[in-house]
């Protein structure tokens, strides 16, 4: 009995002794890891510059003071926040060679990654509704999507994101850990729960429910919005009107397809053996490439944003020459 008691105490000490996790990253090959570092550094820098450009344009240009661009501005902010929550930590790990991360820092990273990701899904649903009102109820657009409504919708997105992350994260803070290896390039929920010695069944089910609820709710809103949008566009009398109406929502439709497509692809796995590798690859694209592409998708397919960019650039060049 005494031996059993000592054994239990020894196990508990081992659990409490783990205060850091080890991030394995994407590869163990130093040369390949250097290529990954260059790739991530370039994509991260360009995505931050691109999204900051959109935020700045909408702030300074009075022609972009519309609900659509207000949501786009917030979307760009979320893109910067999301990629910043994932990429810089891994860049530091590669450059320093120090793969350890404290449990507190790991849970903080999970909190921000999930908060920004969930809020972005809700914002995409709101942006789809905005396009529905603009195309299906154009005469009432200004009244329906007034500044107070827009602010409340943005606040609702953030509150929804918080409500999604807080319950499972709050329960996870009390877990004990007997392993410290995270087979990912950032702190992901699945490998952290696998490292726990505690019973994580309820937390795992809660994570699944929250993730599916977020995905299904927002996807239903997006799909319904675009069904009504397409039906309205098809009823327009001329081809020119149909093209103009479709062009106002085509950019967002591309972004929605990329976001939801990558999320669906994550859960359609060829085998359990490839699960980790696929999750890493897909999340690498969603955390680095998608935030880089989105500013270009919106600017290249939006005449008003392009015009604003050119006008702002001309003013900047003229001011520089004048000095």
């Amino acid at each position: 009995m005494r031996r059993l008691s000592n054994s239990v105490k020894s196990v508990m000490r081992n659990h409490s002794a783990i205060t850091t996790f080890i991030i394995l990253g994407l590869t163990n090959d130093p040369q390949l890891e250097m290529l990954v570092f260059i790739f991530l550094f370039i994509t991260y820098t360009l995505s931050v510059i691109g999204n900051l450009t959109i935020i700045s344009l909408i702030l300074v240009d009075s022609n972009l003071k519309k609900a659509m661009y207000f949501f786009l501005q917030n979307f760009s902010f979320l893109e910067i926040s999301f990629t910043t929550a994932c990429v810089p930590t891994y860049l530091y790990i590669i450059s320093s060679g120090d793969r350890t991360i404290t449990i507190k820092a790991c849970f903080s990273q999970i909190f921000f990654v999930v908060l920004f990701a969930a809020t972005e899904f809700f914002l995409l649903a709101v942006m789809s509704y905005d396009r529905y009102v603009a195309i299906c109820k154009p005469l009432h657009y200004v009244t329906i999507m007034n500044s107070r409504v827009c602010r409340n919708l943005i606040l609702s997105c953030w509150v929804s994101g918080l409500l999604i992350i807080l319950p499972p994260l709050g329960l996870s803070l009390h877990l004990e850990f007997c392993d410290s290896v995270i087979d990912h390039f950032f702190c992901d929920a699945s490998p952290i729960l696998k490292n726990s010695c505690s019973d994580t069944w309820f937390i795992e089910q809660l994570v699944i429910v929250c993730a599916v609820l977020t995905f299904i709710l927002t996807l239903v809103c997006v799909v319904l919005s675009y069904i009504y949008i397409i039906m309205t566009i098809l009823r327009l009398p001329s081809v020119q009107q149909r093209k103009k109406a479709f062009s106002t929502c085509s950019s967002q439709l591309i972004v929605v397809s990329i976001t939801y497509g990558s999320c669906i692809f994550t859960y359609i796995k060829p085998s359990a053996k490839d699960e980790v590798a696929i999750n890493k690859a897909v999340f690498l694209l969603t955390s680095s490439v998608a935030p880089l592409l989105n500013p270009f998708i919106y600017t290249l397919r939006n005449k008003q944003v392009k015009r604003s960019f050119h006008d702002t650039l001309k003013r900047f060049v003229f001011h520089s020459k004048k000095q």
Side-chain angles (χ1 to χ4, degrees), residues 41-113:
F41 181 79
I42 292 171
T43 54
Y44 174 72
T45 303
L46 292 176
S47 64
V48 169
I49 292 171
N51 284 290
L52 277 177
T53 301
I54 288 180
I55 292 171
S56 302
L57 285 175
I58 295 169
L59 277 174
V60 300
D61 195 334
S62 58
N63 294 320
L64 302 180
K65 303 298 181 185
K66 298 176 183 176
M68 173 186 175
Y69 300 109
F70 176 70
F71 294 133
L72 177 56
Q73 188 179 44
N74 281 272
F75 184 77
S76 292
F77 174 75
L78 279 171
E79 290 284 74
I80 293 172
S81 303
F82 178 68
T83 190
T84 300
C86 307
V87 176
T89 303
Y90 187 49
L91 291 177
Y92 172 77
I93 287 170
I94 296 174
S95 60
S96 65
D98 182 10
R99 295 183 178 273
T100 60
I101 183 171
T102 65
I103 290 177
K104 287 183 178 179
C106 204
F107 277 108
S108 296
Q109 187 180 43
I110 287 178
F111 171 78
F112 286 113
V113 167

Side-chain angles (χ1 to χ4, degrees), residues 102-323:
T102 65
I103 290 177
K104 287 183 178 179
C106 204
F107 277 108
S108 296
Q109 187 180 43
I110 287 178
F111 171 78
F112 286 113
V113 167
V114 178
L115 172 64
F116 297 140
T119 304
E120 192 170 300
F121 274 102
F122 286 110
L123 183 55
L124 284 172
V126 167
M127 291 171 77
S128 298
Y129 173 73
D130 171 71
R131 291 300 84 207
Y132 157 75
V133 176
I135 292 171
C136 301
K137 300 182 179 181
L139 298 177
H140 303 285
Y141 179 74
V142 177
T143 307
I144 295 172
M145 303 303 292
N146 59 64
S147 58
R148 185 177 60 84
V149 170
C150 291
R151 286 195 297 269
N152 287 338
L153 286 171
I154 291 295
L155 181 61
S156 299
C157 292
W158 283 97
V159 170
S160 301
L162 272 174
L163 292 176
I164 289 298
I165 180 59
L166 285 180
L169 184 67
L171 293 173
S172 302
L173 294 175
H174 303 288
L175 294 175
E176 292 177 344
F177 299 97
C178 46
D179 200 359
S180 59
V181 175
I182 294 178
D183 191 6
H184 216 306
F185 69 92
F186 79 109
C187 290
D188 193 20
S190 180
I192 287 178
L193 292 176
K194 287 178 183 177
N195 287 339
S196 177
C197 305
S198 310
D199 183 9
T200 60
W201 181 86
F202 180 73
I203 298 175
E204 288 173 9
Q205 303 311 307
L206 189 60
V207 167
I208 292 170
V209 168
C210 289
V212 170
L213 193 65
T214 302
F215 184 84
I216 297 297
L217 277 177
T218 57
L219 184 60
V220 167
C221 290
V222 169
V223 170
L224 284 176
S225 295
Y226 277 99
I227 286 173
Y228 282 110
I229 287 169
I230 291 168
M231 287 170 61
T232 303
I233 290 173
L234 291 176
R235 284 199 296 266
L236 293 173
S238 69
V239 177
Q240 191 67 27
Q241 285 178 309
R242 289 196 290 269
K243 282 184 178 179
K244 187 178 179 181
F246 184 74
S247 67
T248 62
C249 60
S250 59
S251 299
Q252 206 233 336
L253 193 56
I254 294 169
V255 172
V256 163
S257 301
I258 293 171
T259 305
Y260 283 93
S262 60
C263 191
I264 291 168
F265 186 76
T266 302
Y267 295 98
I268 302 176
K269 304 178 180 73
S271 67
K273 186 179 178 182
D274 298 327
E275 178 179 342
V276 175
I278 289 175
N279 278 346
K280 286 183 182 181
V282 173
F283 204 88
L284 178 67
L285 295 176
T286 55
S287 62
S288 60
V289 178
L292 169 64
L293 290 178
N294 290 342
F296 291 102
I297 292 170
Y298 278 111
T299 52
L300 292 176
R301 300 184 67 85
N302 189 300
K303 291 180 181 179
Q304 207 160 358
V305 175
K306 280 197 293 185
R307 192 183 305 117
S308 174
F309 178 75
H310 290 147
D311 292 344
T312 305
L313 194 62
K314 283 178 183 178
R315 286 198 299 269
F316 178 76
V317 171
F318 178 76
H319 183 70
S320 299
K321 286 181 179 179
K322 198 173 180 181
Q323 286 183 336

